[in-house]
Amino acid sequence: MQKLALLISGCLTMSSIGLLYKSEAVNAAAYILGQKIGYAFIFHGLFLMFLFILEYCRFSIPKFFIWFFEGVNFLITFAVLTMDYHTLFYKSYTEIQMDGYVLLEKDYGILHTLAVALFLIYVLAIIVTVVIFMIKNIRRRSTYVLRLLISVLIPFAAYVIPKLTDSSDNIHVISLAIFSIIMIYLIYRNNLYDIDNIAAKFSIASMEEAFIVFDEKYRFQGCNSVAEELFPLFKNLDLDSDVREYDTSFVDYIDGKTDEYRSNDCIYKVSVRSLAEGYVVHGKVLKVEDVTLQRRYTDLLKERQAQIDKDLAMAKAIQTSALPLTTSVFSDVSHIETSSFMETAKEVGGDFYDYYMLNDHLAAFIIADVSGKGIPAAMFMMRAKTVIKSFAEENLPVNEVFNKANNQLCEGNDAGMFTTAWMGILDITTGKMTFANAGHNLPVILRADGTREYLSCKPGFVLAGMEDIKYTLEELQFAPGDRLYLYTDGVTEATDANDELYGEDRLLDILATTGQMSTEEALKAVKADVDKFVSEAEQFDDISMLIVGYLG
């Protein structure tokens, strides 16, 4: 429509120039040239105006009808441009010299009669189209259409009045100039692009979505049929109407302050997009889409996730409650000092530690790391913890405990899970500890004299990895003041933002500073150092620590 309006304005301007040139002609040749320019453009301008009115009033006509009138237009244009070469437009004419200008006395030909008839047909067709539109939309404020009707009637009156009053052609020029100015104004008001085409394209691309267009001053510029069904307001709202006078809630939608609309238990998402050319914003398009099912599914997912979170929280509480407390296990034992810590990467984890008295002088300590994370690892962890403790309570050597636990954990292990583990049994009266390793990280022995080193022992094979594995029994002698630090790989394999590992050397360095600390303070110091190293990086593995201090 904007292109049509530009073409119409251009045709009217050229026609005005031709008629002005004709009115000031001082000889027949100049007079004929002015008529050629004026008549050639006026018919095309009126035809384009007819198409403009049809499109604006949302009427459509068959293409063959358009092609027919375009053919007639070009026939008359050809006759006008070849005027003075044949007798189809003027059979003959006589030059009459006036005071400062010239007139022609003409004998009209058949194409002149056709041209006049076509002129009247265009004007009457435009008037009928506008009247029908106004009758169909009688409840609308059709101010915009009235402007179009007035803009057509001005040149029509400017043609008829001079013919009836034998006035000067200057009236033609003035009326066409006014008409051109009106068209320029319409171009300015219609600068949001082709609203009807935009709505049509949007509705074709997505039939279930509503699209509404406003200009930069909240004036309604068009919508598709889906929008009219959803918002009946726009069925009776005239183009260019200020929506703030009818429904102020649309201001929040246009300004992007509100993005949800509810109607009849349905939920609609409202998104806004600017219509702009370069840095100039001409208006905005509201896209309204039904998201009722999506929201319902989202709500169901949220409810389900909330239930999962609740279940995981309960699982974590159960897992935590299964871990021993030093105050209850060794409350009556003065020979040792023990502290422990566990932090899971997810709600529940696969790490575990355990310690308990086997009799009045033997204390068992174990730390383990199950493969995997989350619920499966936690379930396997609980099974491994129970199995190991049941064999330990039979007063078996540590290696035999692992031998039997390994075979039992292999039974029914279709998921292929396994666990690393380190277990030691300390005679609190002598300071002698027997231990076995099942593929776990080497513990750190911290001597009372300040020396520290990783405890040398055979690595062994993981539990539940293969049946009939034999584990080695080894010994460690504690002196009063010695400590044993047990941990899972979540400590040494903690990574920072650059994927650098915390490592075994850093662990030895921080443990060297904990000699005068209590066991609880020592674990806090290690954890703080790991957190400082990792900084904002995500924790991917469970972290568990257990420290045993022998007091003698």
Side-chain angles (χ1 to χ4, degrees), residues 169-187:
D169 281 344
N170 285 332
I171 296 178
H172 287 81
V173 178
I174 296 171
S175 65
L176 289 175
I178 295 173
F179 194 6
S180 183
I181 292 171
I182 293 174
M183 290 309 303
I184 291 172
Y185 171 74
L186 293 177
I187 293 169

Side-chain angles (χ1 to χ4, degrees), residues 91-118:
K91 291 180 181 179
S92 63
Y93 60 86
T94 303
E95 179 180 336
I96 302 174
Q97 289 292 335
M98 306 296 289
D99 185 16
Y101 62 96
V102 68
L103 289 178
L104 293 187
E105 188 176 281
K106 296 153 285 198
D107 185 10
Y108 298 113
I110 186 172
L111 287 182
H112 182 277
T113 303
L114 179 60
V116 173
L118 191 62

Side-chain angles (χ1 to χ4, degrees), residues 51-90:
L51 296 181
F52 183 88
I53 294 290
L54 284 173
E55 189 168 347
Y56 217 103
C57 295
R58 294 182 174 85
F59 288 101
S60 60
I61 57 176
K63 284 188 176 181
F64 76 87
F65 196 74
I66 297 176
W67 283 108
F68 172 77
F69 277 96
E70 284 186 344
V72 175
N73 271 338
F74 279 105
L75 176 62
I76 294 175
T77 302
F78 176 78
V80 168
L81 294 178
T82 58
M83 192 186 301
D84 202 28
Y85 294 98
H86 55 71
T87 60
L88 291 176
F89 200 82
Y90 291 151

Side-chain angles (χ1 to χ4, degrees), residues 338-340 354-355 365-367 484-486 545-548:
T338 303
S339 293
S340 53
D354 203 1
Y355 42 85
F365 301 90
I366 182 170
I367 191 164
L484 185 66
Y485 173 77
L486 307 171
M545 297 182 288
L546 171 62
I547 190 167
V548 182

Side-chain angles (χ1 to χ4, degrees), residues 461-525:
F461 195 67
V462 296
L463 298 179
M466 185 184 301
E467 292 182 346
D468 298 327
I469 297 295
K470 299 302 180 182
Y471 295 91
T472 303
L473 182 67
E474 301 187 65
E475 295 183 358
L476 170 66
Q477 182 61 50
F478 280 92
D482 290 349
R483 290 179 176 179
L484 185 66
Y485 173 77
L486 307 171
Y487 61 98
T488 59
D489 59 9
V491 176
T492 53
E493 294 181 7
T495 57
D496 62 8
N498 298 319
D499 288 334
E500 182 182 354
L501 294 177
Y502 181 76
E504 296 176 347
D505 292 339
R506 286 189 177 87
L507 179 59
L508 283 181
D509 291 340
I510 187 62
L511 287 174
T513 66
T514 63
Q516 302 302 317
M517 299 180 185
S518 66
T519 54
E520 183 177 356
E521 292 172 340
L523 292 187
K524 289 181 179 179

Side-chain angles (χ1 to χ4, degrees), residues 185-328:
Y185 171 74
L186 293 177
I187 293 169
Y188 166 75
R189 285 298 307 116
N190 197 42
N191 63 355
L192 292 182
Y193 311 104
D194 193 336
I195 300 302
D196 293 335
N197 285 345
I198 286 178
K201 290 176 182 177
F202 279 156
S203 60
I204 291 173
S206 181
M207 296 299 292
E208 297 181 354
E209 297 173 349
F211 291 90
I212 314 164
V213 184
F214 299 93
D215 69 4
E216 73 283 1
K217 295 183 179 179
Y218 305 97
R219 290 178 291 208
F220 175 62
Q221 296 297 309
C223 66
N224 62 355
S225 58
V226 181
E228 289 184 348
E229 292 298 324
L230 187 58
F231 303 102
L233 162 70
F234 297 117
K235 290 183 178 180
N236 303 314
L237 191 63
D238 188 30
L239 297 176
D240 238 19
S241 297
D242 191 332
V243 74
R244 292 175 292 185
E245 299 178 6
Y246 299 90
D247 191 342
T248 55
S249 64
F250 273 95
V251 176
D252 290 336
Y253 295 131
I254 297 170
D255 292 340
K257 296 179 180 178
T258 304
D259 61 357
E260 184 176 284
Y261 170 72
R262 292 177 179 262
S263 175
N264 299 326
D265 297 327
C266 291
I267 305 171
Y268 298 89
K269 179 184 177 182
V270 183
S271 55
V272 58
R273 185 179 67 184
S274 295
L275 291 175
E277 287 182 284
Y279 295 101
V280 180
V281 177
H282 296 298
K284 294 183 178 180
V285 175
L286 295 186
K287 175 184 174 183
V288 187
E289 54 185 326
D290 190 344
V291 294
T292 306
L293 290 178
Q294 179 182 336
R295 289 291 179 87
R296 287 175 181 171
Y297 288 141
T298 302
D299 291 342
L300 287 174
L301 288 174
K302 287 181 178 179
E303 291 177 6
R304 181 59 179 161
Q305 186 60 49
Q307 183 61 45
I308 292 173
D309 292 341
K310 183 178 178 180
D311 292 344
L312 288 174
M314 184 173 293
K316 184 172 185 176
I318 293 173
Q319 184 181 35
T320 303
S321 66
L323 298 175
L325 295 175
T326 306
T327 54
S328 59

Side-chain angles (χ1 to χ4, degrees), residues 404-450:
K404 291 181 177 292
N406 174 65
N407 288 336
Q408 186 164 331
L409 291 174
C410 284
E411 294 178 5
N413 186 20
D414 296 334
M417 302 196 73
F418 61 88
T419 179
T420 66
W422 191 98
M423 182 177 183
I425 297 177
L426 174 66
D427 187 332
I428 62 176
T429 59
T430 65
K432 178 182 177 181
M433 173 180 279
T434 57
F435 65 89
N437 188 15
H440 197 74
N441 302 78
L442 298 179
V444 178
I445 180 69
L446 306 169
R447 297 298 184 181
D449 60 6

